[in-house]
Amino acid sequence: MNQQLWDSINWTLGLGAEPKTLTFLQMGLRAIIIYIAGLMMVRLSGDRRFSGRFTDFDVILSITFGSLLSRAINGSAPFWGTIGVGFVLVGMNRLFALISDRSPSFRQIITGNSLILIQDGEIQSNNLKKAHVSQTDLIASLRSNAHLSDPSQVKIARLERSGQISVIPTVCEPHVIETTVEEGVQTVRVKLDYPVQRKKY
């Protein structure tokens, strides 16, 4: 029974067949399986920086789509079948995006949640490990995204679903430390203090 099932799967997917003999159905099923498997691989990797500013959908589509079309160009796969499967991939991408927009639970499974990396000046070490982000990379993101180098100056830093790190600086509290009047001109010296004490990391 198991052998018959495996033989049916091999025949359905055209496993072991010559590339040019694959049917449109076989190529389409292969594309769908590769698309879903690719999404799972990206999600399991845990490193959202892999996808950069693009969603996981876009990353998988660009990889599989480019590889697919190149096979049609070099003649290693049926020409019209390859074009048809390209439309299947685009349809899968649109379908997953539509389901994600309408189903928060599905979107959470596919894209995950955002992670707080810094909260009120304190680095969240556990979330750093989950996000596969080192403290060196985090500080570099603070410098590039908010022109800050000290975590104590950050109200909240969050790893978004897109893989980007968003930073909200802590609001400074001004304190008047000196007031002088010379020749009718008043000069006020103000010091900006952060409410969170600086910590060493």
Side-chain angles (χ1 to χ4, degrees):
M1 181 65 181
N2 291 335
Q3 185 60 41
Q4 291 180 347
L5 178 61
W6 183 247
D7 291 339
S8 298
I9 294 176
N10 287 340
W11 180 83
T12 302
L13 297 178
L15 301 180
E18 292 293 329
K20 292 185 178 181
T21 64
L22 294 175
T23 64
F24 173 76
L25 176 61
Q26 290 170 332
M27 295 179 64
L29 290 175
R30 284 184 173 198
I32 292 174
I33 293 174
I34 291 298
Y35 183 91
I36 296 175
L39 279 176
M40 293 175 62
M41 293 175 191
V42 172
R43 291 290 294 117
L44 289 175
S45 71
D47 191 345
R48 299 182 200 174
R49 294 171 299 168
F50 172 80
S51 57
R53 297 185 178 181
F54 302 97
T55 64
D56 294 340
F57 301 139
D58 298 327
V59 172
I60 300 303
L61 178 63
S62 62
I63 294 174
T64 55
F65 199 70
S67 176
L68 178 72
L69 295 184
S70 66
R71 296 181 63 198
I73 294 175
N74 61 31
S76 61
F79 183 77
W80 295 112
T82 301
I83 293 178
V85 172
F87 283 105
V88 171
L89 281 174
V90 174
M92 284 287 297
N93 194 67
R94 293 294 297 270
L95 177 62
F96 274 50
L98 180 62
I99 297 175
S100 294
D101 288 338
R102 298 188 177 184
S103 174
S105 58
F106 181 81
R107 180 171 61 249
Q108 181 176 349
I109 293 174
I110 296 299
T111 62
N113 292 320
S114 60
L115 289 174
I116 296 177
L117 304 182
I118 300 178
Q119 179 79 51
D120 293 327
E122 183 176 352
I123 294 179
Q124 308 298 309
S125 300
N126 290 336
N127 285 345
L128 280 184
K129 293 178 181 178
K130 292 179 182 179
H132 300 280
V133 177
S134 67
Q135 289 194 16
T136 301
D137 291 339
L138 177 61
I139 300 302
S141 295
L142 297 183
R143 289 196 299 265
S144 61
N145 296 339
H147 304 289
L148 300 174
S149 59
D150 192 336
S152 67
Q153 300 175 354
V154 177
K155 177 66 176 177
I156 187 169
R158 186 188 298 269
L159 178 64
E160 305 293 350
R161 291 173 177 171
S162 64
Q164 298 297 300
I165 296 178
S166 60
V167 181
I168 300 178
T170 299
V171 177
C172 302
E173 297 180 356
H175 297 283
V176 177
I177 60 176
E178 183 182 358
T179 301
T180 59
V181 178
E182 295 181 1
E183 298 180 357
V185 178
Q186 184 179 22
T187 302
V188 180
R189 294 181 60 193
V190 178
K191 181 181 179 181
L192 299 179
D193 291 332
Y194 291 92
V196 180
Q197 293 182 354
R198 295 180 181 273
K199 301 178 178 59
K200 295 183 179 179
Y201 298 90

